Amino acid sequence: MQAISTTINSNTHLDADILDAVVVGSGYGSSTAAVRFLQSHGPKRVAVLERGREWLPGSFPQTTAEAVEEIGVRLRSREWLNRDGLFDVRIFEDLVTVNGCGLGGGSLINASVMIEPNQLVFKSHRWPRALKNEFELDQDGHRAFDKFYDRARSALKVSTYPDTYRPLPKLERLRETTIAGVTDNWIQFEKTPLAVTFEDTLNDAGFVKPACNLCGNCVTGCNTGAKGALNTTLLATAWKLGARIYTEVTVLRIDPDPALEDVWVVAYTSTEDRHETERFIKTRRVFLGAGAMGSTEILLRSTALSLSKMLGKGYSGNGDSIGAAVGVAKPIATFGNPSYKNQDQTPDRSPGPCITSVAKINEARNPAALFTMTKSPSKYVMHKLMDTASTAQTAIDGLVSKALETLHLKPADPTTTLFSTPESRQIADMEDLLSKQLVIEDCSVPFATKALFNSVLQLTNLLETDPKEAMDAMRQWVLDNEVDNDRNDVDHFQTFLVMSHDDSRKSGTMTLDETTGLLDMSWPGWRSQKNYPLGNEKMKEVGDHAGQDYFIPNPVIAQMNRTVSVHSLGGCCMGDSVETGVVNDKGALYNSATGGVYKGLYVVCGAIVPRSLGINPALTITALAERVMEHVE
């Protein structure tokens, strides 16, 4: 594979002419925008701007020291430490976020899981009406929106871990737990669809993609080249189609051109020197795809635009959480191998891709037909029955309200089920249903972070429990290892990832710090959410069933009193009008001065997702971007 970008520094500049399109960011939405615009509009002048560096297979961190060097940290709204580090870590008052920084965005350090959310998610009031209609099932169990998911899967080359490959211990342990019935609730096991190649292939850009060698180091960057990092897939295709790709570019804001109608001025600096004199590039279209925090920060700075009062609101951490089961009965190869090179792999100790399977849990105990993603006429009937019941209840509420109005009476408590408005009751019921659903995914820890991971988790366990009990547990752990030479912390240590549903009525808010002009975040509402305790409870149940000695809950919550997210969503949420959203259902940016939309300004990343998805969001972000691009002129 070859480099496809040009680095911008104090000695290099972007084009001076007016471009047809500028794509800001290089994640799933922005990569989709670049490719689809060039495919639908023919040869055009398109520039892709990325804040970080370009990473090729073989250049990612392989040791703990190398990984630590690539951690970029921003503490609240203070300046960056290592602002172009591969791991973009932001520590706010209420949460910690982790994102990828580099050409390809989050695809560089994610697990490449490509899975659809639960159908119930799309019944939420947060989605624009036009999209809600496209999410509805017809009598054959199909949805109008399915074509965008299909395009996304095709573009990202999605498959599952092959049955012809050797069994993976972590996958089999989660399967066994599910079959045995960890809870008496509804639970479903499945392999996760992945953007990973399992046989040597030539991709659409003409690059060779080698087969995955199961080294387990996906989330510190795939040095093998088997993972679907976007700089080796969609961005490479855009480059082949003529896009000019620039790295180390920090976009500051978007302004209207003072002299030319429908022309936009993108202000930027080089990432290496953010305090240098601003530079500018002009374009007729901007596709903003810098992620939930990046796109929101850019628009908050774009004060020359008349934007919705909803800008910065609606942040969700996607219900992310982590945990670990220590001392499980059967061996699990949790940690990645020291090298990514094929000849250095140990087949019986290779963990495989970071995530390979998922257990979907529904604590609400509703009929399975209502919650599975299986598309069938029976599911259509179930949804219609639910809609009919809701309509009937709405009619009853209307009659009660009319009677009270006639008698000049008001309900004592408007939040109760009987006397609440039909809309508020339905919203509360939907949020309650979603809060009881979550997924638990198996998880491998890359070799480069093994030392850090072990230290943090052991320290957390000592701090989380009574000191004497903790020391006794650790002493017993050592004794067990001495007695059973086949049992050690590497083989009997299982990590989990959870995704669930934040209550969208208690979402976070992003603002700019008045002193630094950098993004800040406030989300005190996460501490009263139901989904985080439920996630710990269910991870512990899985660990108990696997014979764990003890369970370590989310260390960020336990020790920092913050939640953590690797799937930030919202900030530029979709809405039916400028009063309820920052963009419309087609991703076009609302103009609060006119009530219409700006011509040529779009948001195409996770910033437009109006609520938690409760699953890895990459596929849905890509599908939404596919839909946006279908409507671009």
Short mmCIF file of all heavy atoms in Angstrom, two decimals, residues 512-574:
data_model
loop_
_atom_site.label_atom_id
_atom_site.label_comp_id
_atom_site.label_asym_id
_atom_site.label_seq_id
_atom_site.Cartn_x
_atom_site.Cartn_y
_atom_site.Cartn_z
N LEU A 512 -18.07 26.19 23.88
CA LEU A 512 -16.69 26.64 23.75
C LEU A 512 -16.27 27.35 25.02
O LEU A 512 -17.03 28.15 25.58
CB LEU A 512 -16.55 27.60 22.57
CG LEU A 512 -16.67 27.04 21.16
CD1 LEU A 512 -16.42 28.14 20.13
CD2 LEU A 512 -15.73 25.87 20.93
N ASP A 513 -15.07 27.05 25.48
CA ASP A 513 -14.53 27.75 26.64
C ASP A 513 -14.26 29.21 26.26
O ASP A 513 -13.67 29.50 25.21
CB ASP A 513 -13.22 27.08 27.09
CG ASP A 513 -12.64 27.74 28.32
OD1 ASP A 513 -13.01 27.33 29.44
OD2 ASP A 513 -11.83 28.67 28.14
N GLU A 514 -14.70 30.13 27.08
CA GLU A 514 -14.58 31.55 26.76
C GLU A 514 -13.13 32.01 26.70
O GLU A 514 -12.80 32.97 26.00
CB GLU A 514 -15.36 32.38 27.78
CG GLU A 514 -16.87 32.16 27.72
CD GLU A 514 -17.60 33.03 28.74
OE1 GLU A 514 -16.92 33.77 29.47
OE2 GLU A 514 -18.85 32.95 28.78
N THR A 515 -12.26 31.35 27.44
CA THR A 515 -10.86 31.78 27.49
C THR A 515 -10.03 31.18 26.35
O THR A 515 -9.32 31.89 25.64
CB THR A 515 -10.22 31.39 28.84
OG1 THR A 515 -10.98 31.98 29.90
CG2 THR A 515 -8.78 31.86 28.91
N THR A 516 -10.15 29.87 26.16
CA THR A 516 -9.30 29.18 25.18
C THR A 516 -9.95 29.03 23.82
O THR A 516 -9.27 28.81 22.82
CB THR A 516 -8.93 27.77 25.68
OG1 THR A 516 -10.14 26.97 25.78
CG2 THR A 516 -8.26 27.84 27.05
N GLY A 517 -11.28 29.13 23.76
CA GLY A 517 -11.98 28.91 22.49
C GLY A 517 -12.03 27.46 22.08
O GLY A 517 -12.38 27.14 20.93
N LEU A 518 -11.70 26.55 23.00
CA LEU A 518 -11.71 25.12 22.72
C LEU A 518 -12.97 24.46 23.29
O LEU A 518 -13.62 25.01 24.18
CB LEU A 518 -10.47 24.45 23.29
CG LEU A 518 -9.13 24.94 22.74
CD1 LEU A 518 -7.97 24.28 23.48
CD2 LEU A 518 -9.03 24.69 21.24
N LEU A 519 -13.27 23.29 22.78
CA LEU A 519 -14.49 22.59 23.17
C LEU A 519 -14.47 22.16 24.63
O LEU A 519 -13.46 21.66 25.12
CB LEU A 519 -14.69 21.36 22.29
CG LEU A 519 -16.06 20.67 22.43
CD1 LEU A 519 -17.12 21.44 21.66
CD2 LEU A 519 -15.99 19.23 21.94
N ASP A 520 -15.60 22.34 25.30
CA ASP A 520 -15.80 21.81 26.64
C ASP A 520 -17.10 21.02 26.65
O ASP A 520 -17.93 21.16 25.74
CB ASP A 520 -15.85 22.94 27.68
CG ASP A 520 -15.55 22.43 29.10
OD1 ASP A 520 -15.32 21.23 29.27
OD2 ASP A 520 -15.57 23.26 30.02
N MET A 521 -17.28 20.18 27.64
CA MET A 521 -18.43 19.30 27.69
C MET A 521 -18.98 19.24 29.10
O MET A 521 -18.24 19.17 30.08
CB MET A 521 -18.02 17.88 27.25
CG MET A 521 -19.10 16.83 27.43
SD MET A 521 -20.07 16.60 25.95
CE MET A 521 -18.86 15.76 24.92
N SER A 522 -20.32 19.25 29.20
CA SER A 522 -20.99 19.07 30.49
C SER A 522 -22.05 17.98 30.31
O SER A 522 -22.89 18.07 29.42
CB SER A 522 -21.65 20.38 30.92
OG SER A 522 -22.41 20.18 32.10
N TRP A 523 -21.98 16.95 31.19
CA TRP A 523 -22.96 15.87 31.10
C TRP A 523 -23.21 15.27 32.48
O TRP A 523 -22.99 14.09 32.72
CB TRP A 523 -22.48 14.79 30.13
CG TRP A 523 -23.53 13.79 29.78
CD1 TRP A 523 -24.89 13.93 29.86
CD2 TRP A 523 -23.31 12.46 29.28
NE1 TRP A 523 -25.54 12.79 29.44
CE2 TRP A 523 -24.58 11.87 29.07
CE3 TRP A 523 -22.17 11.72 28.98
CZ2 TRP A 523 -24.74 10.57 28.59
CZ3 TRP A 523 -22.31 10.44 28.49
CH2 TRP A 523 -23.59 9.87 28.29
N PRO A 524 -23.69 16.08 33.43
CA PRO A 524 -23.97 15.53 34.76
C PRO A 524 -25.07 14.49 34.76
O PRO A 524 -25.15 13.65 35.65
CB PRO A 524 -24.36 16.77 35.58
CG PRO A 524 -24.84 17.76 34.56
CD PRO A 524 -24.01 17.51 33.34
N GLY A 525 -25.94 14.52 33.72
CA GLY A 525 -27.08 13.61 33.68
C GLY A 525 -26.73 12.14 33.56
O GLY A 525 -27.56 11.27 33.85
N TRP A 526 -25.48 11.82 33.15
CA TRP A 526 -25.14 10.40 32.98
C TRP A 526 -25.18 9.65 34.31
O TRP A 526 -25.44 8.44 34.34
CB TRP A 526 -23.76 10.25 32.33
CG TRP A 526 -22.60 10.41 33.26
CD1 TRP A 526 -21.88 11.54 33.49
CD2 TRP A 526 -22.02 9.39 34.10
NE1 TRP A 526 -20.89 11.32 34.42
CE2 TRP A 526 -20.95 9.99 34.82
CE3 TRP A 526 -22.30 8.04 34.33
CZ2 TRP A 526 -20.17 9.30 35.73
CZ3 TRP A 526 -21.52 7.35 35.24
CH2 TRP A 526 -20.47 7.97 35.93
N ARG A 527 -24.93 10.36 35.43
CA ARG A 527 -24.83 9.69 36.72
C ARG A 527 -26.18 9.16 37.21
O ARG A 527 -26.21 8.31 38.10
CB ARG A 527 -24.23 10.65 37.75
CG ARG A 527 -22.77 11.00 37.45
CD ARG A 527 -22.18 11.93 38.50
NE ARG A 527 -20.78 12.22 38.21
CZ ARG A 527 -20.37 13.21 37.43
NH1 ARG A 527 -21.27 14.01 36.86
NH2 ARG A 527 -19.08 13.41 37.21
N SER A 528 -27.27 9.64 36.67
CA SER A 528 -28.59 9.14 37.06
C SER A 528 -29.18 8.19 36.03
O SER A 528 -30.35 7.84 36.09
CB SER A 528 -29.55 10.32 37.29
OG SER A 528 -29.70 11.08 36.09
N GLN A 529 -28.35 7.75 35.08
CA GLN A 529 -28.83 6.85 34.03
C GLN A 529 -28.92 5.41 34.56
O GLN A 529 -28.09 4.99 35.36
CB GLN A 529 -27.88 6.89 32.84
CG GLN A 529 -27.63 8.28 32.29
CD GLN A 529 -28.56 8.65 31.16
OE1 GLN A 529 -29.46 7.91 30.80
NE2 GLN A 529 -28.35 9.81 30.58
N LYS A 530 -29.89 4.67 34.07
CA LYS A 530 -30.09 3.29 34.50
C LYS A 530 -29.15 2.31 33.81
O LYS A 530 -28.89 1.22 34.32
CB LYS A 530 -31.53 2.87 34.21
CG LYS A 530 -32.61 3.71 34.86
CD LYS A 530 -34.00 3.24 34.40
CE LYS A 530 -35.10 4.10 34.98
NZ LYS A 530 -36.44 3.68 34.48
N ASN A 531 -28.66 2.70 32.62
CA ASN A 531 -27.96 1.71 31.79
C ASN A 531 -26.58 1.35 32.32
O ASN A 531 -26.12 0.22 32.12
CB ASN A 531 -27.85 2.22 30.35
CG ASN A 531 -27.24 3.60 30.24
OD1 ASN A 531 -27.48 4.47 31.08
ND2 ASN A 531 -26.46 3.84 29.20
N TYR A 532 -25.89 2.26 33.01
CA TYR A 532 -24.53 1.95 33.45
C TYR A 532 -24.50 0.91 34.58
O TYR A 532 -23.72 -0.05 34.51
CB TYR A 532 -23.80 3.24 33.84
CG TYR A 532 -23.59 4.13 32.63
CD1 TYR A 532 -24.37 5.26 32.43
CD2 TYR A 532 -22.63 3.83 31.68
CE1 TYR A 532 -24.19 6.07 31.31
CE2 TYR A 532 -22.45 4.62 30.56
CZ TYR A 532 -23.23 5.75 30.39
OH TYR A 532 -23.05 6.54 29.28
N PRO A 533 -25.33 1.05 35.62
CA PRO A 533 -25.38 -0.03 36.62
C PRO A 533 -25.83 -1.36 36.01
O PRO A 533 -25.33 -2.43 36.40
CB PRO A 533 -26.39 0.48 37.65
CG PRO A 533 -26.39 1.97 37.49
CD PRO A 533 -26.15 2.21 36.04
N LEU A 534 -26.78 -1.30 35.07
CA LEU A 534 -27.25 -2.53 34.43
C LEU A 534 -26.11 -3.20 33.67
O LEU A 534 -25.97 -4.42 33.68
CB LEU A 534 -28.42 -2.23 33.50
CG LEU A 534 -29.02 -3.44 32.78
CD1 LEU A 534 -29.63 -4.41 33.77
CD2 LEU A 534 -30.08 -2.99 31.76
N GLY A 535 -25.27 -2.40 32.99
CA GLY A 535 -24.15 -2.96 32.26
C GLY A 535 -23.19 -3.70 33.18
O GLY A 535 -22.75 -4.82 32.87
N ASN A 536 -22.85 -3.10 34.33
CA ASN A 536 -21.98 -3.78 35.29
C ASN A 536 -22.60 -5.07 35.79
O ASN A 536 -21.93 -6.10 35.93
CB ASN A 536 -21.70 -2.86 36.48
CG ASN A 536 -20.51 -1.94 36.23
OD1 ASN A 536 -19.66 -2.22 35.39
ND2 ASN A 536 -20.46 -0.84 36.96
N GLU A 537 -23.90 -5.01 36.07
CA GLU A 537 -24.61 -6.19 36.57
C GLU A 537 -24.54 -7.35 35.59
O GLU A 537 -24.27 -8.50 35.96
CB GLU A 537 -26.07 -5.81 36.85
CG GLU A 537 -26.95 -6.96 37.29
CD GLU A 537 -28.41 -6.57 37.35
OE1 GLU A 537 -28.71 -5.37 37.59
OE2 GLU A 537 -29.27 -7.45 37.16
N LYS A 538 -24.77 -7.05 34.32
CA LYS A 538 -24.80 -8.11 33.31
C LYS A 538 -23.40 -8.64 32.99
O LYS A 538 -23.21 -9.83 32.76
CB LYS A 538 -25.50 -7.63 32.04
CG LYS A 538 -26.97 -7.28 32.27
CD LYS A 538 -27.71 -8.43 32.92
CE LYS A 538 -29.09 -8.03 33.39
NZ LYS A 538 -29.75 -9.10 34.17
N MET A 539 -22.39 -7.74 32.97
CA MET A 539 -21.03 -8.23 32.76
C MET A 539 -20.62 -9.15 33.91
O MET A 539 -19.97 -10.18 33.68
CB MET A 539 -20.06 -7.05 32.65
CG MET A 539 -20.08 -6.33 31.34
SD MET A 539 -18.74 -5.11 31.16
CE MET A 539 -19.33 -3.78 32.22
N LYS A 540 -20.99 -8.78 35.13
CA LYS A 540 -20.66 -9.63 36.27
C LYS A 540 -21.35 -10.99 36.16
O LYS A 540 -20.77 -12.03 36.49
CB LYS A 540 -21.05 -8.96 37.58
CG LYS A 540 -20.64 -9.74 38.83
CD LYS A 540 -20.98 -9.00 40.10
CE LYS A 540 -20.47 -9.77 41.32
NZ LYS A 540 -21.01 -11.13 41.41
N GLU A 541 -22.60 -11.01 35.71
CA GLU A 541 -23.30 -12.28 35.52
C GLU A 541 -22.59 -13.16 34.51
O GLU A 541 -22.46 -14.38 34.71
CB GLU A 541 -24.74 -12.03 35.08
CG GLU A 541 -25.66 -11.52 36.17
CD GLU A 541 -27.10 -11.45 35.71
OE1 GLU A 541 -27.48 -12.21 34.80
OE2 GLU A 541 -27.84 -10.62 36.25
N VAL A 542 -22.12 -12.55 33.41
CA VAL A 542 -21.38 -13.33 32.41
C VAL A 542 -20.10 -13.88 33.04
O VAL A 542 -19.76 -15.06 32.86
CB VAL A 542 -21.04 -12.45 31.19
CG1 VAL A 542 -20.10 -13.18 30.24
CG2 VAL A 542 -22.31 -12.05 30.45
N GLY A 543 -19.39 -13.05 33.79
CA GLY A 543 -18.17 -13.50 34.45
C GLY A 543 -18.43 -14.58 35.47
O GLY A 543 -17.66 -15.56 35.58
N ASP A 544 -19.50 -14.44 36.26
CA ASP A 544 -19.85 -15.47 37.25
C ASP A 544 -20.11 -16.80 36.58
O ASP A 544 -19.68 -17.86 37.05
CB ASP A 544 -21.08 -15.05 38.05
CG ASP A 544 -20.77 -13.95 39.06
OD1 ASP A 544 -19.58 -13.75 39.37
OD2 ASP A 544 -21.71 -13.29 39.53
N HIS A 545 -20.84 -16.74 35.47
CA HIS A 545 -21.15 -17.99 34.77
C HIS A 545 -19.90 -18.62 34.17
O HIS A 545 -19.82 -19.84 34.00
CB HIS A 545 -22.19 -17.75 33.69
CG HIS A 545 -22.86 -18.99 33.22
ND1 HIS A 545 -22.34 -19.79 32.24
CD2 HIS A 545 -24.00 -19.59 33.63
CE1 HIS A 545 -23.14 -20.83 32.05
NE2 HIS A 545 -24.15 -20.74 32.88
N ALA A 546 -18.89 -17.78 33.87
CA ALA A 546 -17.63 -18.30 33.33
C ALA A 546 -16.68 -18.75 34.43
O ALA A 546 -15.57 -19.17 34.15
CB ALA A 546 -16.96 -17.22 32.48
N GLY A 547 -17.13 -18.67 35.72
CA GLY A 547 -16.33 -19.15 36.83
C GLY A 547 -15.28 -18.17 37.30
O GLY A 547 -14.24 -18.58 37.83
N GLN A 548 -15.52 -16.87 37.15
CA GLN A 548 -14.53 -15.87 37.53
C GLN A 548 -14.24 -15.89 39.03
O GLN A 548 -15.09 -16.26 39.84
CB GLN A 548 -15.01 -14.48 37.12
CG GLN A 548 -16.20 -13.98 37.93
CD GLN A 548 -16.69 -12.61 37.47
OE1 GLN A 548 -16.13 -12.00 36.58
NE2 GLN A 548 -17.77 -12.14 38.08
N ASP A 549 -13.02 -15.47 39.41
CA ASP A 549 -12.68 -15.27 40.82
C ASP A 549 -13.24 -13.94 41.32
O ASP A 549 -13.71 -13.83 42.43
CB ASP A 549 -11.16 -15.29 41.01
CG ASP A 549 -10.59 -16.69 40.82
OD1 ASP A 549 -11.36 -17.66 40.99
OD2 ASP A 549 -9.40 -16.81 40.51
N TYR A 550 -13.12 -12.92 40.48
CA TYR A 550 -13.74 -11.65 40.82
C TYR A 550 -13.93 -10.83 39.56
O TYR A 550 -13.30 -11.08 38.52
CB TYR A 550 -12.93 -10.87 41.87
CG TYR A 550 -11.49 -10.60 41.53
CD1 TYR A 550 -11.11 -9.46 40.83
CD2 TYR A 550 -10.49 -11.48 41.95
CE1 TYR A 550 -9.80 -9.21 40.53
CE2 TYR A 550 -9.17 -11.22 41.66
CZ TYR A 550 -8.82 -10.08 40.95
OH TYR A 550 -7.51 -9.84 40.66
N PHE A 551 -14.81 -9.84 39.67
CA PHE A 551 -15.15 -8.97 38.54
C PHE A 551 -14.65 -7.56 38.79
O PHE A 551 -14.77 -7.03 39.90
CB PHE A 551 -16.67 -8.95 38.34
CG PHE A 551 -17.14 -7.94 37.33
CD1 PHE A 551 -16.87 -8.10 35.98
CD2 PHE A 551 -17.83 -6.80 37.73
CE1 PHE A 551 -17.28 -7.16 35.04
CE2 PHE A 551 -18.25 -5.86 36.81
CZ PHE A 551 -17.98 -6.04 35.45
N ILE A 552 -14.05 -6.94 37.78
CA ILE A 552 -13.60 -5.56 37.88
C ILE A 552 -14.52 -4.69 37.03
O ILE A 552 -14.55 -4.83 35.80
CB ILE A 552 -12.15 -5.41 37.39
CG1 ILE A 552 -11.21 -6.27 38.25
CG2 ILE A 552 -11.71 -3.95 37.44
CD1 ILE A 552 -9.78 -6.26 37.79
N PRO A 553 -15.29 -3.81 37.65
CA PRO A 553 -16.20 -2.94 36.89
C PRO A 553 -15.43 -1.82 36.19
O PRO A 553 -14.21 -1.69 36.37
CB PRO A 553 -17.13 -2.39 37.97
CG PRO A 553 -16.29 -2.38 39.21
CD PRO A 553 -15.37 -3.56 39.10
N ASN A 554 -16.15 -1.03 35.45
CA ASN A 554 -15.56 0.07 34.69
C ASN A 554 -14.63 0.91 35.58
O ASN A 554 -15.09 1.59 36.50
CB ASN A 554 -16.69 0.95 34.14
CG ASN A 554 -16.17 1.99 33.16
OD1 ASN A 554 -15.11 2.57 33.34
ND2 ASN A 554 -16.94 2.24 32.13
N PRO A 555 -13.30 0.90 35.34
CA PRO A 555 -12.38 1.62 36.22
C PRO A 555 -12.49 3.13 36.11
O PRO A 555 -12.16 3.84 37.07
CB PRO A 555 -11.00 1.13 35.76
CG PRO A 555 -11.20 0.70 34.35
CD PRO A 555 -12.59 0.16 34.28
N VAL A 556 -12.93 3.65 34.97
CA VAL A 556 -13.07 5.10 34.82
C VAL A 556 -14.19 5.62 35.71
O VAL A 556 -14.05 6.63 36.40
CB VAL A 556 -13.31 5.48 33.35
CG1 VAL A 556 -13.44 6.99 33.20
CG2 VAL A 556 -12.17 4.96 32.47
N ILE A 557 -15.31 4.89 35.71
CA ILE A 557 -16.42 5.27 36.58
C ILE A 557 -16.02 5.10 38.04
O ILE A 557 -16.26 5.98 38.89
CB ILE A 557 -17.67 4.43 36.27
CG1 ILE A 557 -18.22 4.78 34.88
CG2 ILE A 557 -18.76 4.65 37.33
CD1 ILE A 557 -19.41 3.96 34.46
N ALA A 558 -15.36 3.97 38.36
CA ALA A 558 -15.04 3.66 39.75
C ALA A 558 -14.04 4.64 40.35
O ALA A 558 -14.17 5.05 41.51
CB ALA A 558 -14.49 2.23 39.84
N GLN A 559 -13.04 5.04 39.57
CA GLN A 559 -11.95 5.83 40.14
C GLN A 559 -11.98 7.30 39.77
O GLN A 559 -11.41 8.13 40.48
CB GLN A 559 -10.60 5.23 39.72
CG GLN A 559 -10.41 3.79 40.17
CD GLN A 559 -10.67 3.61 41.65
OE1 GLN A 559 -10.27 4.44 42.46
NE2 GLN A 559 -11.34 2.54 42.01
N MET A 560 -12.63 7.66 38.68
CA MET A 560 -12.62 9.05 38.24
C MET A 560 -13.99 9.71 38.35
O MET A 560 -14.12 10.91 38.08
CB MET A 560 -12.12 9.14 36.79
CG MET A 560 -10.70 8.65 36.58
SD MET A 560 -10.18 8.75 34.84
CE MET A 560 -10.14 10.51 34.57
N ASN A 561 -15.01 8.93 38.71
CA ASN A 561 -16.38 9.43 38.76
C ASN A 561 -16.78 10.07 37.43
O ASN A 561 -17.49 11.07 37.38
CB ASN A 561 -16.57 10.44 39.89
CG ASN A 561 -18.03 10.72 40.17
OD1 ASN A 561 -18.90 9.88 39.94
ND2 ASN A 561 -18.33 11.92 40.65
N ARG A 562 -16.30 9.49 36.38
CA ARG A 562 -16.64 9.90 35.02
C ARG A 562 -17.03 8.67 34.24
O ARG A 562 -16.54 7.58 34.52
CB ARG A 562 -15.47 10.59 34.32
CG ARG A 562 -15.05 11.93 34.89
CD ARG A 562 -13.72 12.35 34.29
NE ARG A 562 -13.38 13.73 34.57
CZ ARG A 562 -12.71 14.14 35.63
NH1 ARG A 562 -12.32 13.25 36.55
NH2 ARG A 562 -12.42 15.41 35.80
N THR A 563 -17.89 8.84 33.26
CA THR A 563 -18.11 7.74 32.33
C THR A 563 -17.10 7.85 31.20
O THR A 563 -16.35 8.82 31.10
CB THR A 563 -19.55 7.74 31.79
OG1 THR A 563 -19.76 6.53 31.03
CG2 THR A 563 -19.81 8.94 30.89
N VAL A 564 -17.05 6.85 30.35
CA VAL A 564 -16.09 6.85 29.24
C VAL A 564 -16.81 6.45 27.97
O VAL A 564 -17.73 5.61 28.00
CB VAL A 564 -14.91 5.88 29.52
CG1 VAL A 564 -15.40 4.45 29.67
CG2 VAL A 564 -13.85 5.97 28.43
N SER A 565 -16.44 7.06 26.86
CA SER A 565 -17.06 6.71 25.58
C SER A 565 -16.01 6.66 24.48
O SER A 565 -15.15 7.53 24.38
CB SER A 565 -18.14 7.73 25.20
OG SER A 565 -18.68 7.40 23.92
N VAL A 566 -16.12 5.63 23.65
CA VAL A 566 -15.32 5.55 22.43
C VAL A 566 -16.22 5.72 21.21
O VAL A 566 -15.77 5.57 20.07
CB VAL A 566 -14.56 4.20 22.34
CG1 VAL A 566 -13.55 4.10 23.47
CG2 VAL A 566 -15.51 3.01 22.37
N HIS A 567 -17.50 6.04 21.45
CA HIS A 567 -18.48 6.21 20.37
C HIS A 567 -19.31 7.47 20.61
O HIS A 567 -20.52 7.41 20.80
CB HIS A 567 -19.42 5.00 20.29
CG HIS A 567 -18.75 3.70 20.02
ND1 HIS A 567 -18.89 2.59 20.83
CD2 HIS A 567 -17.90 3.33 19.03
CE1 HIS A 567 -18.18 1.59 20.35
NE2 HIS A 567 -17.57 2.01 19.26
N SER A 568 -18.67 8.62 20.61
CA SER A 568 -19.39 9.87 20.85
C SER A 568 -20.35 10.18 19.71
O SER A 568 -20.00 10.05 18.52
CB SER A 568 -18.39 11.03 20.99
OG SER A 568 -17.66 10.90 22.19
N LEU A 569 -21.56 10.60 20.07
CA LEU A 569 -22.61 10.92 19.09
C LEU A 569 -23.28 12.23 19.46
O LEU A 569 -23.31 12.63 20.62
CB LEU A 569 -23.66 9.81 19.06
CG LEU A 569 -23.18 8.39 18.72
CD1 LEU A 569 -24.30 7.38 18.94
CD2 LEU A 569 -22.69 8.33 17.27
N GLY A 570 -23.85 12.90 18.46
CA GLY A 570 -24.66 14.09 18.70
C GLY A 570 -23.87 15.38 18.68
O GLY A 570 -22.68 15.43 18.36
N GLY A 571 -24.56 16.47 19.01
CA GLY A 571 -23.98 17.81 18.97
C GLY A 571 -24.49 18.62 17.80
O GLY A 571 -24.64 19.84 17.88
N CYS A 572 -24.72 17.97 16.66
CA CYS A 572 -25.31 18.59 15.46
C CYS A 572 -26.49 17.72 15.02
O CYS A 572 -26.59 17.30 13.87
CB CYS A 572 -24.31 18.69 14.33
SG CYS A 572 -22.76 19.51 14.74
N CYS A 573 -27.38 17.45 15.96
CA CYS A 573 -28.41 16.43 15.76
C CYS A 573 -29.39 16.78 14.64
O CYS A 573 -29.71 17.95 14.40
CB CYS A 573 -29.19 16.20 17.05
SG CYS A 573 -28.18 15.55 18.38
N MET A 574 -29.91 15.75 13.99
CA MET A 574 -30.98 15.90 13.01
C MET A 574 -32.27 16.34 13.69
O MET A 574 -32.51 16.00 14.85
CB MET A 574 -31.26 14.56 12.33
CG MET A 574 -30.18 14.07 11.42
SD MET A 574 -30.67 12.47 10.73
CE MET A 574 -29.66 12.42 9.27
#
